[in-house]
Amino acid sequence: MKILKIDGGRKLNGTVKISGAKNSAVALFPAAILCDENVHILNVPNISDIDSLNSILKYLNAKVEKKSQDSFYIASCNIENKEITEDMTRKLRASYYFMGALLGKYKKAEVSFPGGCTIGSRPIDLHLKGFESLGAKVEQKGNKVIITADELIGSNIYLDIASVGATINIMLAAVKAKGVTIIDNAAREPEVVNIAMFLNSMGAKITGAGTNTIKIKGVQYLKSCTHEVIPDRIEAATYIMIGALLSENLTVENIIPEHLEALIQKLLEMGVDLKIDDDKIYVTNKNKLKATKVTTLVYPGFPTDMQQIIATLMTQATGESKIEETIFENRFQNLYELRKMGANIKVVSNKGYIKGPTKLKSEDITATDLRAGAGLVIAALIAEGETTINNADYILRGYENIVEKLEKLGAKIKLIEI
Ligand code: UD1
């Protein structure tokens, strides 16, 4: 296990460059399998989830070559379509994208159920129903799913929930199917658009990504392309909130402000001093923060991935803030850890009530999942004295060089393996 030790209470100033988006990169790497030549992916974040995906790609005999610090060539021409077992899939949620990608290319996928953060039950029934609509047979044997098809044929698919994972997985399966697939009530997240653009650069015919209705006209061959991962809006949000609490001047650069609209509106409502430029945001903590209310929603609503992070900000705002989590049922574990640090928090089913401001004290706390961990890093940066965050492995799954980035801003932070 890795632990983070953070000696908090310091001002953090300077510039931080945001890396490529985890949730986009983790779909692009499995999607690379669909290419009949090779792909070059740029702006790839250096995070452990990418290492896990690369191990799976190499196990399948794909050629994965690191071309620079943040770019990879992937050649999938000689892939062996083998079973991907639980020891590989449980490391991350995004391992489910091998189902859509292998099915799309070889009409067969044998993949165990995915792992990932324990933030709720997280079924994948919509992914599997989508594959069935395309003509595949889905069998579950123990913890693995065997998906086979003689032929994949485009169809009309309505998603009961606008799921990011299901939308992307169905796109992967449908891109080479015969005829036209229409996904209705599709997820509109920027990561979905980034994957659709990647496939289109290879020669796919996908329209409507970023709207509720995505249309995919199947093609037979996908050619080489170069594609860039979009900036990580959740990492950006994390550093912007650090700035709102601890900076006289912090520049968060390499961002797409439009992807952060819901957060920006909330921060302005809370009184955060922000200046927005084309691809950067300047933030300081010069104003007192006011309490606010957040309800998580699908994009372009307030992202569930940011609620555990804004919770820490709320502990420093005057008045009672409220978070209503509508996407995942178990995403408040961070609130119990914040309470240990002195925060005044009440949890009632899917609602968290946070009264502030309260001084946070250093503690021995635990990251229960990736974004809980990010919220706790911020709490540790505010608290006077040394805080220990156990299970920091979760945080490294999604934050590139977090120790180096925070040190550069002036934090006192150490990563220790025990
Ligand atoms: C992705 C992100 C995650 C983010 C989430 C919501 C990745 C690797 N992870 O997760 O960081 O928090 O989107 O923005 O990109 N659902 C079903 N059946 C399904 C699929 C989903 O009931 O087959 C439900 C889920 O339980 C959840 C909701 O739909 O309540 C949304 O889930 P979804 O958008 O699929 O999230 P993930 O793809 O798991």
Side-chain angles (χ1 to χ4, degrees):
M1 179 177 77
K2 294 193 173 70
I3 57 173
L4 277 174
K5 293 221 177 251
I6 298 177
D7 197 357
R10 286 153 210 276
K11 287 282 170 209
L12 302 182
N13 293 312
T15 298
V16 61
K17 184 170 179 247
I18 297 308
S19 305
K22 164 190 167 283
N23 285 351
S24 188
V26 296
L28 292 172
F29 273 58
I33 281 186
L34 285 158
C35 186
D36 294 293
E37 298 175 7
N38 51 58
V39 296
H40 189 194
I41 307 179
L42 314 176
N43 199 32
V44 178
N46 181 13
I47 51 174
S48 59
D49 268 12
I50 292 294
D51 300 337
S52 305
L53 291 170
N54 279 340
S55 306
I56 301 179
L57 283 168
K58 285 179 185 161
Y59 158 82
L60 294 173
N61 209 27
K63 205 166 141 212
V64 182
E65 229 179 284
K66 193 164 180 163
K67 277 308 212 192
S68 69
Q69 222 183 344
D70 64 354
S71 78
F72 283 84
Y73 264 125
I74 303 173
S76 313
C77 330
N78 297 319
I79 279 196
E80 282 174 63
N81 186 10
K82 295 187 278 186
E83 175 185 352
I84 304 177
T85 48
E86 200 184 342
D87 53 317
M88 290 178 261
T89 59
R90 69 161 172 247
K91 292 199 176 128
L92 78 169
R93 186 86 191 140
S95 53
Y96 54 32
Y97 291 130
F98 283 102
M99 295 181 181
L102 289 171
L103 178 67
K105 188 159 181 178
Y106 299 106
K107 317 272 182 295
K108 179 167 193 261
E110 213 170 321
V111 182
S112 282
F113 276 97
C117 289
T118 45
I119 53 179
S121 64
R122 307 188 86 179
I124 58 163
D125 55 316
L126 301 174
H127 306 227
L128 303 179
K129 271 201 237 165
F131 300 148
E132 280 174 338
S133 299
L134 297 172
K137 186 171 145 218
V138 176
E139 281 172 277
Q140 197 181 322
K141 270 201 191 149
N143 196 35
K144 83 173 169 191
V145 190
I146 305 166
I147 313 160
T148 46
D150 295 330
E151 200 172 41
L152 292 168
I153 298 173
S155 74
N156 283 18
I157 297 168
Y158 176 85
L159 295 178
D160 295 336
I161 303 171
S163 150
V164 174
T167 303
I168 295 177
N169 231 343
I170 294 167
M171 275 197 313
L172 301 182
V175 75
K176 287 183 161 183
K178 268 195 186 157
V180 176
T181 299
I182 292 175
I183 310 175
D184 260 320
N185 196 28
R188 292 188 281 162
E189 269 70 358
E191 292 75 20
V192 174
V193 179
N194 200 219
I195 311 313
M197 284 169 74
F198 177 51
L199 295 169
N200 281 347
S201 314
M202 291 186 213
K205 291 199 165 11
I206 302 174
T207 52
T211 74
N212 291 327
T213 305
I214 298 179
K215 190 169 165 188
I216 305 152
K217 208 168 154 210
V219 295
Q220 283 188 349
Y221 189 83
L222 294 174
K223 63 180 189 330
S224 292
C225 76
T226 298
H227 184 75
E228 190 165 334
V229 181
I230 51 169
D232 196 310
R233 59 198 170 104
I234 316 296
E235 190 199 18
T238 308
Y239 284 101
I240 292 168
M241 289 192 250
I242 288 173
L245 289 165
L246 289 161
S247 300
E248 281 134 3
N249 62 71
L250 180 71
T251 305
V252 182
E253 65 176 26
N254 189 34
I255 61 162
I256 299 176
E258 293 74 29
H259 293 173
L260 291 158
E261 202 46 49
L263 174 77
I264 290 170
Q265 288 314 319
K266 276 295 149 194
L267 295 183
L268 291 174
E269 208 179 294
M270 291 179 85
V272 174
D273 178 58
L274 290 176
K275 212 169 112 227
I276 302 157
D277 217 334
D278 289 348
D279 65 347
K280 44 177 98 66
I281 285 188
Y282 306 94
V283 56
T284 72
N285 78 328
K286 75 175 177 209
N287 300 335
K288 271 198 160 170
L289 301 177
K290 291 176 283 206
T292 191
K293 289 188 175 64
V294 158
T295 301
T296 61
L297 289 169
V298 294
Y299 191 83
F302 193 91
T304 169
D305 281 352
M306 289 181 200
Q307 68 84 350
Q308 289 166 300
I309 308 168
I310 205 169
T312 303
L313 199 66
M314 288 169 166
T315 68
Q316 304 307 304
T318 304
E320 185 175 82
S321 292
K322 179 180 164 193
I323 298 175
E324 185 171 353
E325 171 59 61
T326 71
I327 314 283
F328 294 110
E329 65 269 24
N330 185 23
R331 217 170 190 181
F332 278 148
Q333 296 307 307
N334 56 312
L335 297 187
Y336 301 106
E337 300 301 296
L338 286 176
R339 213 144 72 176
K340 281 196 211 158
M341 297 177 80
N344 184 345
I345 293 177
K346 197 169 73 185
V347 178
V348 183
S349 73
N350 70 332
K351 298 179 188 70
Y353 299 88
I354 304 174
K355 265 193 196 148
T358 46
K359 206 167 157 50
L360 298 184
K361 59 178 194 305
S362 51
E363 252 299 342
D364 193 324
I365 49 176
T366 299
T368 49
D369 58 83
L370 167 58
R371 304 303 170 188
L376 296 178
V377 166
I378 303 182
L381 290 168
I382 318 170
E384 297 281 343
E386 188 175 80
T387 292
T388 300
I389 305 178
N390 299 295
N391 276 354
D393 311 64
Y394 272 124
I395 302 164
L396 304 179
R397 282 192 38 208
Y399 285 86
E400 172 172 294
N401 299 341
I402 188 165
V403 172
E404 294 77 1
K405 285 186 182 183
L406 286 171
E407 261 176 350
K408 201 177 141 222
L409 299 177
K412 209 166 160 211
I413 174 168
K414 279 190 298 228
L415 183 71
I416 302 169
E417 176 107 46
I418 55 164

